[in-house]
Amino acid sequence: MSAVVRMVGMSKTYRMGEVEVKALKPMDLELGEGEVTVVVGPSGSGKTTLLNLIGGLDRPTEGTITVAGVEINRLDNGGLTAYRREKVGFIFQFFNLIPSLTALENVEFVAGLVKEPLDPRQVLEAVGLGDRADHFPAELSGGEQQRVAIARALVKDPLLLLADEPTGALDVDTGVRVLALLREAAQRGKSVVIVTHNSAVAKMGDRIIRLRDGEVISDERIESPVDPLEIRW
Amino acid sequence: MLWLKLRREIIRSPWQFTAAVLIMVLGIVMFSASYMSYLNLNESYQYSYEVLHFADYWISLPGLFPRDAVTDALEAEGVERGEARLVLSLPAEVMSSTRPKAYLLGVDLSVIEEYLPRREEGPVRREPKRLELRILSVPDWGRPEVNDLLVVRGEYASSPDEIMLEYRVADYHELEVGDEVTLFAPDGRERAFKIAAVVRSPEFIWVARSRQDIFPSPDTFGVAFVPESGLAEFLFAGGEMPVNELVFTVSDPAAGEAVLDALPKGATLTERAHQVSHEVLQLDLDGYRQLAIFFPALFLGVGAMVLYVLQARTVHAQRWVIGTMRAMGYSRGAIMVHYLAYALLAGLLGSAIGAITGLLVSRWITELYVAIIGIPLVRTVPQYGVLAAAMAFGLITGALGGIIPARAAASLLPAEAMRESPAAAGKRPWLERVFPPLARLRALAKVGYRDLFRNPRRSLYSVLGVAVATSLILVSSVLLDSVDWAMRHQFEDIERYDVMASFYPGAPPEVLDELADEEGVRAVQGVVEVPVELHFAEEVYTTALRGLEPGEHLYDLRPAGIDDADLEATAGSSGLRGIVLAASLGQRFGVSQGDIVEVESLLDHSVRRFEVLGFAEVPLGALVFGERDAVARSFDLPELYTTVFLTVDGDRERLIKDLESRPGVVSVLDQANLRDTVRQLLRMAYAFIGVMLLLGGLLALAVVFTTTMVSILERERELATMRILGTPSRAVAWMVSLQGLVLGAVGLFLGAVLGQVLASVALGMWGSDLFDFQVVTYPRTYVVTGLGMLGILLLSGMPALRRLAGLNLAEVAKRRED
Ligand SMILES: Nc1ncnc2c1ncn2[C@@H]1O[C@H](COP(=O)(O)OP(=O)(O)OP(=O)(O)O)[C@@H](O)[C@H]1O
Ligand SMILES: [Mg+2]
């Protein structure tokens, strides 16, 4: 399996005046194609920091991070923007849909940014929201909003799908349907990273990375991951 | 605890607080400075009137009467003080300084002398100068009972060969006590009078020659006071001096009519409200007061809006905090007070700074105004009332802006406060339903314009703020454009002559031919002027009938809408068939084309009736016009020209000297010089527009800054999300800037309309037979205002854009909401 993302000696330190917070200690990690990686760990262990570095929202303090052959830590702001636009699909805990656009328009918004997007309506149908296309976010339930967010991430056919607590604001039934969509995306070759502190969710991963105090304390491959629809918490 | 929170909030975003306070300060300064100076000026006028016994009524008698024949009328009940006097205009000669004069259109410019060409230093060179003096008799013993004089320099006149000059004409020609003034009697005799004093008169705070000529130049017109015995010796061979005017003050307004009834028929009564000087000053003062209330009201309204926007945003953002505080046991009242405090504090601070600054500025304005207008006696009033009002307005503004958000905060239920945000729901704006193609715009553009409708109230405030700022700039520019246009229209299009010579009793045609042949004279036009009274249904109006020769255009009515054919049409077979009225007269007396107007000649009191054939749009000088020969024939005049206009291409000064030395010349006006000075003054006036631009600019800056800042703060999460999704930061910046510009453009448009309306209201208020100005806006005014506001919009959006560029994407995206 070829590595899509390769991190070498990557670390992140936040400096606030005198105080230094080592959010991530130097680590080497690789993420493979078509793989669902679940990152778990207690609060403050550096999960979001890791995700932000992979997603190009932040730069590592040391080390390199290479995505599809490009060392993204060397990119300037414009380059990082282009990287996020072309390669990364984000899914947030609180959905972050654009309130003044309908479900379909939210998806189209992203489709308009990339060169070869998928068809927005088809993607929306694929997440089961074909009939809610013209609804504004305020008119959708939380689960529906999150599915729009996933459609929005999928429509640009990205290399990476990064989800930070995607089920955090959802109930179990809605949550597992969202996870199932992420699993499907991985089956179509995307590298999916899911950050969570819900250990039940972790069971769906091909690989579980555990963090504590900014360090990888275990990196476990799962031979037969659980079908997301069977997860309960 | 809550106070600490308040202080932190102010410190955390000091610019917002500053912007709110700044608007308040501007509004309060404008209000207090202008209202205080209004009160000071009004008080000074009243005080001057009171001390100098300014008359309540003037009665002009139909000719000369022995004093004893008319003074009995003043015994009528209700008359307090009365005076009978002689008023007449005589040609005079003075030794005038040759230095350039800082004087224009009734305004003494020496106060702003720095801006004018420098006067030469060194000893004063003098040359004889002819001018018209309005001579008023004063009692031989003691002061006038009514319209007393204030002696500025010298001693009150006490002998028959002394004269007292009104200070403007004295200052203009640099005449001092002890200098001589030569007066010429109608029969050609002359007599030198010694200047005993330079004085100010309550009747001539504004020096007007007549209602038709309210801007006479002291170059050719002045006012002087001569003891009765002096006039008796000079004009009446030592006999008793007759009188032609009564002036009096009353305790009962009915006394005016009573005195008039006791006088010979033909006497006309003028009440104080229609006395020219008083009326001009009153118009000016009224306009000033309107502005003193109107603009500050706009500013404070905007101030309240800005506070509302800020506080509504704060309350919304702090719903969790409010809910928590309520859950912890803070009362509704405490929360209300807390959220109101910010707005009240801004109001209080703004009004305190504003009122104190206003007090200082008002002193300066009062001084400047007093110096320019020349109010005889100045008395300032204590300004506690205005100070209190200013503070109250500040607090009220703060309360108005803060009350709605504070009440909203207080009425939040703890549980509700902590629920998901109910607001910010997107929906399809009505505009899109009306205009479906909008739905096909690119997504980013759609976000952009839908956001404008998402918080319509805030969009409205942005628009209003820009509109108010624009109208503030525009209204002063439009007023100035209108004055500029009127002045150019008057002095360049209509009055095209370089020199005007007045003759008494008149110049025969040979003199005109002679003048035409003089070296340097390009063209000559002679006109006849008959002083007349127009009798309308209720009212009588004194003016002059000017007879013009069609085809001669040194005084040109064509730009005023009256061409040669119209003028020709006024001539009938045996004199005038009809007349052309100044448009302002038609308006004032409700006369329309085809009406018949009764015209009485003041030369022989004969009365004629003429049809009104048309109206002339002349900004200054509400005259009546007719064809020249017809005018002469109608009033049985000899073939004489009372006024001669000349254009000159040679040495103008020499020609003027030459004219002044001719017999029969009363005065010579250097119109070309006046025209230059008018141009210069107008150019300077445009510089003062800069002040308005600054105020309007600051207002717009503060408003646009707050609204864009708030709208960005409110959408930080959304904007950060777009950036995370890969929208280039430039595109987001464009979208946000365009939103501001679209709102700004709408505001600009509204402001342009508002500015026009306000300017025409202001000009309409002033419009009278004294000045008749149309609303004119030069295209360049729109361009300059538009570009200026555009610059301000861009400038005020900068901090918001900077904040946008510095957004911490990772941090904002994980927030639950804004
Ligand atoms: N912008 C920042 N400035 C300073 N310190 C930060 C910043 N962001 C994160 N940290 C610190 O870095 C550490 C890791 O934070 P991170 O957000 O990655 O944790 P997390 O594992 O996602 O926690 P949670 O499960 O609570 O979301 C924490 O100690 C946090 O305080
Ligand atoms: Mg986290």
Side-chain angles (χ1 to χ4, degrees):
Chain A
M1 192 159 15
S2 64
V4 175
V5 181
R6 177 172 290 129
M7 292 160 265
V8 179
M10 186 186 75
S11 71
K12 178 72 190 179
T13 308
Y14 290 107
R15 207 164 270 113
M16 301 161 75
E18 298 291 288
V19 192
E20 282 196 353
V21 181
K22 287 202 184 327
L24 283 184
K25 311 221 168 107
M27 61 175 63
D28 300 331
L29 268 181
E30 289 187 357
L31 302 179
E33 201 177 314
E35 196 177 60
V36 174
T37 307
V38 178
V39 182
V40 293
S43 184
S45 57
K47 305 182 295 289
T48 300
T49 304
L50 177 63
L51 202 69
N52 287 348
L53 290 176
I54 299 172
L57 284 178
D58 218 338
R59 287 168 212 277
T61 312
E62 286 172 276
T64 61
I65 170 164
T66 313
V67 181
V70 179
E71 219 176 282
I72 62 165
N73 49 294
R74 289 172 179 269
L75 295 175
D76 62 7
N77 283 337
L80 273 184
T81 303
Y83 162 70
R84 291 198 301 266
R85 187 169 61 219
E86 304 295 340
K87 304 277 193 281
V88 188
F90 282 99
I91 294 144
F92 306 94
Q93 178 175 0
F94 300 112
F95 329 133
N96 289 15
L97 296 181
I98 294 167
S100 54
L101 296 180
T102 62
L104 180 62
E105 285 166 349
N106 261 284
V107 181
E108 284 172 342
F109 179 91
V110 173
L113 291 171
V114 296
K115 289 193 202 83
E116 288 173 9
L118 307 177
D119 177 40
R121 198 171 275 280
Q122 274 177 16
V123 177
L124 208 53
E125 269 160 22
V127 298
L129 286 176
D131 53 338
R132 317 305 295 270
D134 288 332
H135 288 237
F136 283 91
E139 300 160 352
L140 298 172
S141 75
E144 286 166 339
Q145 287 189 50
Q146 193 62 303
R147 280 189 277 156
V148 175
I150 290 175
R152 183 174 68 176
L154 290 174
V155 73
K156 60 172 142 177
D157 199 16
L159 205 56
L160 295 172
L161 269 183
L162 306 179
D164 195 348
E165 299 284 5
T167 58
L170 304 176
D171 62 59
V172 182
D173 285 335
T174 345
V176 295
R177 285 169 67 190
V178 163
L179 293 176
L181 286 171
L182 293 175
R183 164 56 73 193
E184 257 176 65
Q187 277 157 3
R188 277 184 279 112
K190 316 276 167 243
S191 287
V192 179
V193 183
I194 301 172
V195 161
T196 183
H197 48 221
N198 183 339
S199 46
V201 171
K203 289 183 217 148
M204 73 169 280
D206 297 309
R207 181 179 174 193
I208 301 175
I209 296 176
R210 288 176 209 283
L211 292 184
R212 181 178 299 151
D213 296 335
E215 277 181 301
V216 179
I217 54 164
S218 80
D219 184 352
E220 180 189 350
R221 287 202 171 274
I222 309 293
E223 286 314 315
S224 47
V226 178
D227 182 344
L229 291 175
E230 283 162 19
I231 298 177
R232 277 290 170 274
W233 62 82
Chain B
M1 227 344 249
L2 284 178
W3 288 108
L4 184 69
K5 177 168 173 295
L6 181 64
R7 220 176 60 213
R8 287 255 169 81
E9 264 152 28
I10 292 170
I11 292 168
R12 215 175 46 200
S13 41
W15 289 109
Q16 287 175 23
F17 190 72
T18 310
V21 172
L22 177 69
I23 295 176
M24 228 58 113
V25 169
L26 289 179
I28 297 287
V29 168
M30 270 181 135
F31 165 72
S32 50
S34 45
Y35 210 82
M36 284 172 185
S37 21
Y38 162 74
L39 288 181
N40 282 340
L41 294 173
N42 199 34
E43 176 69 15
S44 298
Y45 286 135
Q46 293 314 324
Y47 181 56
S48 301
Y49 286 171
E50 198 182 301
V51 171
L52 299 174
H53 305 298
F54 187 44
D56 291 316
Y57 289 100
W58 286 252
I59 291 180
S60 137
L61 301 169
L64 299 178
F65 289 81
R67 176 184 295 275
D68 294 341
V70 292
T71 41
D72 282 350
L74 291 173
E75 303 298 323
E77 199 158 322
V79 175
E80 280 188 337
R81 296 162 161 265
E83 196 74 64
R85 63 187 187 179
L86 179 65
V87 179
L88 74 174
S89 282
L90 290 180
E93 191 172 274
V94 297
M95 292 303 288
S96 174
S97 130
T98 57
R99 297 201 288 196
K101 317 290 164 77
Y103 203 93
L104 183 74
L105 299 182
V107 171
D108 182 357
L109 298 183
S110 55
V111 233
I112 43 173
E113 210 166 356
E114 299 125 67
Y115 304 101
L116 295 172
R118 289 227 64 78
R119 291 192 178 196
E120 315 144 25
E121 300 297 331
V124 183
R125 281 198 301 123
R126 292 186 178 278
E127 282 179 356
K129 171 73 197 167
R130 281 280 181 119
L131 72 159
E132 176 187 339
L133 280 186
R134 174 72 39 85
I135 307 288
L136 292 90
S137 70
V138 290
D140 280 323
W141 288 282
R143 296 296 192 89
E145 283 276 305
V146 181
N147 296 339
D148 195 3
L149 303 174
L150 181 81
V151 174
V152 183
R153 296 191 288 278
E155 303 264 341
Y156 195 87
S158 57
S159 92
D161 58 359
E162 286 184 332
I163 192 169
M164 294 179 282
L165 278 190
E166 203 272 335
Y167 87 99
R168 260 169 255 255
V169 68
D171 285 1
Y172 181 88
H173 297 283
E174 299 191 52
L175 298 172
E176 278 310 327
V177 172
D179 289 348
E180 276 188 354
V181 176
T182 306
L183 296 185
F184 299 91
D187 59 12
R189 281 177 309 108
E190 56 178 78
R191 175 175 165 140
F193 289 81
K194 204 170 85 178
I195 300 174
V198 172
V199 297
R200 293 181 178 203
S201 158
E203 284 177 282
F204 296 97
I205 297 178
W206 186 270
V207 178
R209 192 159 156 266
S210 66
R211 293 191 76 84
Q212 287 71 46
D213 188 3
I214 55 168
F215 296 122
S217 164
D219 195 40
T220 52
F221 180 81
V223 177
F225 304 86
V226 178
E228 280 169 20
S229 52
L231 289 179
E233 279 175 23
F234 177 40
L235 298 173
F236 304 99
E240 206 208 337
M241 185 199 74
V243 297
N244 62 1
E245 190 172 86
L246 297 184
V247 286
F248 51 101
T249 59
V250 298
S251 54
D252 170 11
E257 290 290 336
V259 174
L260 185 66
D261 289 344
L263 288 169
K265 198 173 158 339
T268 53
L269 180 75
T270 305
E271 54 184 316
R272 188 189 279 190
H274 291 306
Q275 198 259 345
V276 186
S277 162
H278 179 79
E279 194 175 335
V280 170
L281 297 175
Q282 204 58 45
L283 280 173
D284 184 49
L285 205 58
D286 284 349
Y288 191 69
R289 187 183 52 181
Q290 309 274 348
L291 294 186
I293 292 177
F294 183 76
F295 280 117
L298 282 184
F299 267 73
L300 293 180
V302 172
M305 253 160 45
V306 165
L307 281 174
Y308 169 82
V309 169
L310 284 176
Q311 280 307 83
R313 147 82 198 161
T314 308
V315 168
H316 181 78
Q318 298 187 350
R319 284 195 341 279
W320 274 278
V321 183
I322 297 167
T324 315
M325 289 198 299
R326 293 276 281 130
M328 288 185 319
Y330 280 102
S331 72
R332 293 180 46 149
I335 289 188
M336 171 116 172
V337 166
H338 174 65
Y339 284 96
L340 200 51
Y342 181 94
L344 286 181
L345 195 67
L348 198 68
L349 206 62
S351 52
I353 299 174
I356 291 165
T357 318
L359 189 65
L360 299 177
V361 176
S362 82
R363 292 212 182 124
W364 179 72
I365 294 181
T366 308
E367 256 169 48
L368 196 69
Y369 200 103
V370 161
I372 289 180
I373 300 284
I375 305 177
L377 296 164
V378 178
R379 186 163 74 184
T380 54
V381 281
Q383 306 285 8
Y384 308 118
V386 183
L387 284 175
M391 296 304 283
F393 288 156
L395 282 177
I396 290 171
T397 307
L400 279 180
I403 191 79
I404 296 177
R407 281 186 48 176
S411 59
L412 270 180
L413 296 172
E416 199 181 308
M418 290 189 270
R419 271 215 337 246
E420 270 292 319
S421 160
K427 60 178 198 297
R428 217 171 283 283
W430 55 267
L431 188 65
E432 198 171 305
R433 270 166 286 176
V434 177
F435 189 62
L438 275 177
R440 290 203 296 273
L441 280 177
R442 285 195 42 209
L444 188 64
K446 238 183 309 198
V447 175
Y449 87 80
R450 281 191 193 157
D451 275 346
L452 297 182
F453 291 90
R454 223 166 96 201
N455 195 335
R457 206 182 291 183
R458 192 176 55 231
S459 296
L460 185 70
Y461 290 154
S462 300
V463 167
L464 284 182
V466 174
V468 166
T470 308
S471 68
L472 181 74
I473 295 171
L474 210 59
V475 84
S476 36
S477 312
V478 171
L479 284 178
L480 193 53
D481 280 357
S482 305
V483 172
D484 183 85
W485 187 84
M487 290 298 164
R488 285 174 197 277
H489 192 53
Q490 181 80 28
F491 289 107
E492 296 183 11
D493 300 341
I494 298 176
E495 298 179 358
R496 298 168 58 181
Y497 48 90
D498 298 326
V499 173
M500 175 178 100
S502 305
F503 287 81
Y504 185 82
E510 307 87 77
V511 172
L512 252 68
D513 295 339
E514 255 175 67
L515 286 175
D517 289 341
E518 282 225 17
E519 209 192 305
V521 172
R522 191 143 38 97
V524 175
Q525 177 180 4
V527 305
V528 278
E529 264 186 23
V530 188
V532 293
E533 271 180 7
L534 306 179
H535 295 265
F536 301 97
E538 298 278 302
E539 282 167 287
V540 174
Y541 184 80
T542 309
T543 177
L545 170 57
R546 180 173 279 186
L548 296 164
E549 179 68 29
E552 294 185 1
H553 299 128
L554 296 191
Y555 182 90
D556 195 353
L557 282 182
R558 289 173 305 174
I562 298 296
D563 58 25
D564 289 337
D566 296 328
L567 206 54
E568 217 133 4
T570 62
S573 49
S574 59
L576 276 182
R577 187 174 70 80
I579 49 174
V580 170
L581 286 185
S584 60
L585 291 180
Q587 239 161 43
R588 173 164 162 184
F589 297 108
V591 179
S592 32
Q593 203 163 344
D595 289 358
I596 304 292
V597 175
E598 207 167 272
V599 179
E600 176 181 349
S601 157
L602 293 179
L603 298 175
D604 59 4
H605 295 284
S606 58
V607 176
R608 312 272 188 290
R609 292 161 63 78
F610 299 117
E611 184 186 344
V612 175
L613 297 177
F615 294 99
E617 298 284 347
V618 284
L620 295 174
L623 297 169
V624 183
F625 305 94
E627 197 268 339
R628 190 179 64 197
D629 291 335
V631 169
R633 247 178 300 146
S634 276
F635 290 92
D636 305 320
L637 301 175
E639 210 192 342
L640 291 177
Y641 300 105
T642 51
T643 307
V644 177
F645 301 128
L646 302 103
T647 47
V648 182
D649 46 19
D651 183 350
R652 200 172 66 238
E653 302 224 342
R654 213 206 68 244
L655 180 77
I656 290 172
K657 289 281 156 289
D658 180 70
L659 278 168
E660 282 177 343
S661 64
R662 279 175 180 271
V665 170
V666 181
S667 67
V668 181
L669 175 72
D670 187 345
Q671 178 84 2
N673 186 26
L674 179 63
R675 188 177 296 142
D676 285 346
T677 325
V678 169
R679 280 196 200 125
Q680 202 182 335
L681 183 78
L682 286 168
R683 263 206 302 280
M684 220 162 60
Y686 275 106
F688 287 110
I689 284 293
V691 176
M692 279 308 179
L693 204 67
L694 193 76
L695 284 177
L698 276 175
L699 181 73
L701 204 71
V703 171
V704 177
F705 165 75
T706 351
T707 47
T708 44
M709 201 65 176
V710 164
S711 79
I712 286 196
L713 283 176
E714 222 160 74
R715 292 183 297 152
E716 252 180 2
R717 196 166 77 120
E718 177 185 336
L719 297 172
T721 305
M722 288 185 198
R723 296 273 294 108
I724 292 170
L725 294 176
T727 311
S729 58
R730 202 157 343 126
V732 177
W734 261 108
M735 184 191 80
V736 170
S737 311
L738 272 178
Q739 286 178 345
L741 287 180
V742 165
L743 292 180
V746 176
L748 213 65
F749 175 76
L750 280 184
V753 175
L754 186 64
Q756 292 283 330
V757 171
L758 293 179
S760 55
V761 169
L763 280 180
M765 211 166 60
W766 273 36
S768 69
D769 59 310
L770 301 177
F771 337 76
D772 184 16
F773 293 170
Q774 304 169 34
V775 180
V776 174
T777 315
Y778 294 143
R780 66 153 191 249
T781 299
Y782 287 121
V783 173
V784 169
T785 311
L787 289 181
M789 290 302 293
L790 198 70
I792 286 165
L793 288 178
L794 291 176
L795 193 69
S796 50
M798 296 290 258
L801 288 183
R802 267 231 307 284
R803 182 168 176 119
L804 198 61
L807 268 189
N808 182 344
L809 301 184
E811 193 266 326
V812 179
K814 74 181 177 204
R815 270 194 235 156
R816 183 144 178 220
E817 68 149 12
D818 299 287

